[in-house]
């Protein structure tokens, strides 16, 4: 299939996602997400049925990263498993780096990507470590679970 999610395509997808976060470009970050978007953390699941709800959540998340001093979120490792041609599970180890390249935080996030009409989209995000990591650094994320 022409648009099959290969390991190389997953790497490219998360690289462009990382670039959007590094640029603090909310529109580009939003382009990577499906709607509705479901986010699950240890605090529980949250569904953002409307695009604007997801936009507000992701904007608050980006502000938490800005306060932390993040210049570049590096997708250090990605493992993908294709369930079929339209659903792929990806596990990504993120390392957040400062402007001088120092690692300031890191965690693993699990994603379910769905093939949409406009390409692959993040439909479900499971982030068991991120909220605690941000809080431990004194930079709480959004009021709701973090991505």
């Amino acid at each position: 299939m022409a648009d099959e999610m290969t390991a190389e395509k997953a790497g490219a997808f998360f690289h462009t996602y990382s670039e959007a976060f590094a640029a603090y470009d909310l529109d580009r970050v939003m382009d990577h997400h499906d709607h509705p978007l479901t986010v699950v953390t240890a605090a529980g699941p949250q569904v953002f049925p409307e695009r604007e709800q997801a936009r507000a959540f992701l904007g608050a998340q980006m502000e938490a990263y800005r306060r932390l001093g993040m210049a570049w979120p590096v997708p250090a490792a990605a493992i993908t498993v294709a369930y079929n041609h339209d659903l792929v599970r990806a596990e990504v180890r993120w390392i957040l780096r400062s402007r001088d390249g120092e690692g300031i935080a890191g965690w693993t996030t699990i994603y379910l990507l769905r093939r949409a009409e406009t390409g692959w989209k993040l439909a479900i995000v499971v982030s068991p470590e991120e909220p605690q990591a941000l809080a431990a650094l004194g930079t709480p994320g959004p009021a709701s679970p973090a991505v």
Side-chain angles (χ1 to χ4, degrees), residues 8-91:
E8 293 79 19
K9 284 186 179 182
F13 177 90
F14 286 104
H15 181 76
T16 62
Y17 187 50
S18 170
E19 287 176 333
F21 263 99
Y24 290 97
D25 185 333
L26 186 53
D27 290 332
R28 286 177 45 208
V29 168
M30 289 296 297
D31 287 345
H32 286 80
H33 289 87
D34 206 356
H35 300 94
L37 172 65
T38 300
V39 177
V40 182
T41 68
Q46 185 156 1
V47 178
F48 300 99
E50 302 297 326
R51 181 176 172 84
E52 287 310 307
Q53 293 170 319
R55 184 179 181 83
F57 170 77
L58 291 166
Q61 181 188 26
M62 291 173 75
E63 185 54 35
Y65 291 161
R66 188 184 309 273
R67 287 190 311 268
L68 185 62
M70 182 201 74
W72 192 262
V74 178
I79 300 168
T80 59
V81 176
Y83 293 122
N84 58 44
H85 292 294
D86 296 319
L87 291 174
V88 171
R89 178 187 180 276
E91 186 170 322

Side-chain angles (χ1 to χ4, degrees), residues 102-115:
E102 180 183 340
I104 53 178
W107 52 76
T108 299
T109 303
I110 301 162
Y111 302 92
L112 182 65
L113 289 88
R114 184 185 73 85
R115 184 198 315 270

